[in-house]
PDB file of all heavy atoms in Angstrom:
ATOM      1  N   MET A 542       0.821  -1.207   0.000  1.00 42.00           N
ATOM      2  CA  MET A 542       0.000   0.000   0.000  1.00 42.00           C
ATOM      3  C   MET A 542       0.859   1.263   0.000  1.00 42.00           C
ATOM      4  O   MET A 542       0.639   2.200  -0.763  1.00 42.00           O
ATOM      5  CB  MET A 542      -0.928   0.000   1.219  1.00 42.00           C
ATOM      6  CG  MET A 542      -1.804   1.264   1.307  1.00 42.00           C
ATOM      7  SD  MET A 542      -2.841   1.240   2.790  1.00 42.00           S
ATOM      8  CE  MET A 542      -3.568   2.851   2.699  1.00 42.00           C
ATOM      9  N   ILE A 543       1.888   1.283   0.892  1.00 44.00           N
ATOM     10  CA  ILE A 543       2.753   2.454   0.988  1.00 44.00           C
ATOM     11  C   ILE A 543       3.531   2.660  -0.301  1.00 44.00           C
ATOM     12  O   ILE A 543       3.695   3.785  -0.769  1.00 44.00           O
ATOM     13  CB  ILE A 543       3.729   2.311   2.180  1.00 44.00           C
ATOM     14  CG1 ILE A 543       2.938   2.256   3.489  1.00 44.00           C
ATOM     15  CG2 ILE A 543       4.693   3.483   2.224  1.00 44.00           C
ATOM     16  CD1 ILE A 543       1.996   3.425   3.706  1.00 44.00           C
ATOM     17  N   ASN A 544       3.994   1.559  -0.906  1.00 52.00           N
ATOM     18  CA  ASN A 544       4.701   1.681  -2.178  1.00 52.00           C
ATOM     19  C   ASN A 544       3.802   2.309  -3.236  1.00 52.00           C
ATOM     20  O   ASN A 544       4.259   3.086  -4.080  1.00 52.00           O
ATOM     21  CB  ASN A 544       5.195   0.316  -2.653  1.00 52.00           C
ATOM     22  CG  ASN A 544       6.377  -0.167  -1.831  1.00 52.00           C
ATOM     23  OD1 ASN A 544       7.106   0.634  -1.261  1.00 52.00           O
ATOM     24  ND2 ASN A 544       6.569  -1.467  -1.772  1.00 52.00           N
ATOM     25  N   ASN A 545       2.529   1.964  -3.197  1.00 51.00           N
ATOM     26  CA  ASN A 545       1.580   2.545  -4.149  1.00 51.00           C
ATOM     27  C   ASN A 545       1.413   4.050  -3.913  1.00 51.00           C
ATOM     28  O   ASN A 545       1.289   4.828  -4.860  1.00 51.00           O
ATOM     29  CB  ASN A 545       0.214   1.847  -4.035  1.00 51.00           C
ATOM     30  CG  ASN A 545       0.262   0.430  -4.558  1.00 51.00           C
ATOM     31  OD1 ASN A 545       1.120   0.105  -5.374  1.00 51.00           O
ATOM     32  ND2 ASN A 545      -0.647  -0.412  -4.094  1.00 51.00           N
ATOM     33  N   ILE A 546       1.394   4.432  -2.615  1.00 47.00           N
ATOM     34  CA  ILE A 546       1.269   5.853  -2.276  1.00 47.00           C
ATOM     35  C   ILE A 546       2.485   6.622  -2.786  1.00 47.00           C
ATOM     36  O   ILE A 546       2.369   7.682  -3.406  1.00 47.00           O
ATOM     37  CB  ILE A 546       1.126   6.039  -0.742  1.00 47.00           C
ATOM     38  CG1 ILE A 546      -0.197   5.434  -0.255  1.00 47.00           C
ATOM     39  CG2 ILE A 546       1.189   7.519  -0.371  1.00 47.00           C
ATOM     40  CD1 ILE A 546      -0.325   5.385   1.240  1.00 47.00           C
ATOM     41  N   LEU A 547       3.687   6.070  -2.529  1.00 51.00           N
ATOM     42  CA  LEU A 547       4.917   6.714  -2.983  1.00 51.00           C
ATOM     43  C   LEU A 547       4.964   6.811  -4.497  1.00 51.00           C
ATOM     44  O   LEU A 547       5.367   7.821  -5.063  1.00 51.00           O
ATOM     45  CB  LEU A 547       6.138   5.927  -2.481  1.00 51.00           C
ATOM     46  CG  LEU A 547       6.546   6.155  -1.027  1.00 51.00           C
ATOM     47  CD1 LEU A 547       7.635   5.176  -0.635  1.00 51.00           C
ATOM     48  CD2 LEU A 547       7.027   7.575  -0.827  1.00 51.00           C
ATOM     49  N   LYS A 548       4.556   5.715  -5.144  1.00 55.00           N
ATOM     50  CA  LYS A 548       4.550   5.692  -6.605  1.00 55.00           C
ATOM     51  C   LYS A 548       3.619   6.769  -7.151  1.00 55.00           C
ATOM     52  O   LYS A 548       3.921   7.467  -8.120  1.00 55.00           O
ATOM     53  CB  LYS A 548       4.115   4.312  -7.097  1.00 55.00           C
ATOM     54  CG  LYS A 548       4.319   4.094  -8.586  1.00 55.00           C
ATOM     55  CD  LYS A 548       4.022   2.655  -8.945  1.00 55.00           C
ATOM     56  CE  LYS A 548       4.241   2.437 -10.447  1.00 55.00           C
ATOM     57  NZ  LYS A 548       3.927   1.037 -10.841  1.00 55.00           N
ATOM     58  N   LYS A 549       2.474   6.931  -6.500  1.00 53.00           N
ATOM     59  CA  LYS A 549       1.492   7.928  -6.930  1.00 53.00           C
ATOM     60  C   LYS A 549       2.045   9.340  -6.761  1.00 53.00           C
ATOM     61  O   LYS A 549       1.897  10.200  -7.626  1.00 53.00           O
ATOM     62  CB  LYS A 549       0.196   7.762  -6.125  1.00 53.00           C
ATOM     63  CG  LYS A 549      -0.913   8.714  -6.552  1.00 53.00           C
ATOM     64  CD  LYS A 549      -2.167   8.457  -5.734  1.00 53.00           C
ATOM     65  CE  LYS A 549      -3.278   9.427  -6.129  1.00 53.00           C
ATOM     66  NZ  LYS A 549      -4.502   9.218  -5.321  1.00 53.00           N
ATOM     67  N   ILE A 550       2.725   9.574  -5.610  1.00 54.00           N
ATOM     68  CA  ILE A 550       3.285  10.896  -5.329  1.00 54.00           C
ATOM     69  C   ILE A 550       4.398  11.230  -6.321  1.00 54.00           C
ATOM     70  O   ILE A 550       4.430  12.305  -6.907  1.00 54.00           O
ATOM     71  CB  ILE A 550       3.817  10.973  -3.880  1.00 54.00           C
ATOM     72  CG1 ILE A 550       2.649  11.000  -2.890  1.00 54.00           C
ATOM     73  CG2 ILE A 550       4.688  12.211  -3.681  1.00 54.00           C
ATOM     74  CD1 ILE A 550       3.073  10.946  -1.444  1.00 54.00           C
ATOM     75  N   THR A 551       5.339  10.286  -6.508  1.00 56.00           N
ATOM     76  CA  THR A 551       6.494  10.562  -7.364  1.00 56.00           C
ATOM     77  C   THR A 551       6.129  10.652  -8.833  1.00 56.00           C
ATOM     78  O   THR A 551       6.876  11.214  -9.630  1.00 56.00           O
ATOM     79  CB  THR A 551       7.578   9.481  -7.177  1.00 56.00           C
ATOM     80  OG1 THR A 551       6.995   8.179  -7.389  1.00 56.00           O
ATOM     81  CG2 THR A 551       8.156   9.528  -5.781  1.00 56.00           C
ATOM     82  N   SER A 552       4.975  10.114  -9.204  1.00 55.00           N
ATOM     83  CA  SER A 552       4.568  10.185 -10.607  1.00 55.00           C
ATOM     84  C   SER A 552       3.603  11.347 -10.877  1.00 55.00           C
ATOM     85  O   SER A 552       3.177  11.560 -12.000  1.00 55.00           O
ATOM     86  CB  SER A 552       3.896   8.867 -11.031  1.00 55.00           C
ATOM     87  OG  SER A 552       2.706   8.646 -10.288  1.00 55.00           O
ATOM     88  N   SER A 553       3.254  12.085  -9.816  1.00 55.00           N
ATOM     89  CA  SER A 553       2.331  13.220  -9.965  1.00 55.00           C
ATOM     90  C   SER A 553       3.100  14.464 -10.401  1.00 55.00           C
ATOM     91  O   SER A 553       3.502  15.285  -9.588  1.00 55.00           O
ATOM     92  CB  SER A 553       1.603  13.501  -8.644  1.00 55.00           C
ATOM     93  OG  SER A 553       0.849  12.398  -8.263  1.00 55.00           O
ATOM     94  N   LYS A 554       3.342  14.593 -11.681  1.00 53.00           N
ATOM     95  CA  LYS A 554       4.119  15.713 -12.208  1.00 53.00           C
ATOM     96  C   LYS A 554       3.407  17.042 -11.926  1.00 53.00           C
ATOM     97  O   LYS A 554       2.243  17.196 -12.214  1.00 53.00           O
ATOM     98  CB  LYS A 554       4.328  15.546 -13.708  1.00 53.00           C
ATOM     99  CG  LYS A 554       5.243  14.381 -14.064  1.00 53.00           C
ATOM    100  CD  LYS A 554       5.471  14.320 -15.557  1.00 53.00           C
ATOM    101  CE  LYS A 554       6.410  13.160 -15.896  1.00 53.00           C
ATOM    102  NZ  LYS A 554       6.644  13.061 -17.348  1.00 53.00           N
TER     103      LYS A 554
END
Side-chain angles (χ1 to χ4, degrees):
M542 179 182 174
I543 297 305
N544 287 335
N545 290 336
I546 294 171
L547 281 172
K548 191 173 180 181
K549 183 178 179 181
I550 288 175
T551 54
S552 63
S553 299
K554 292 183 179 179

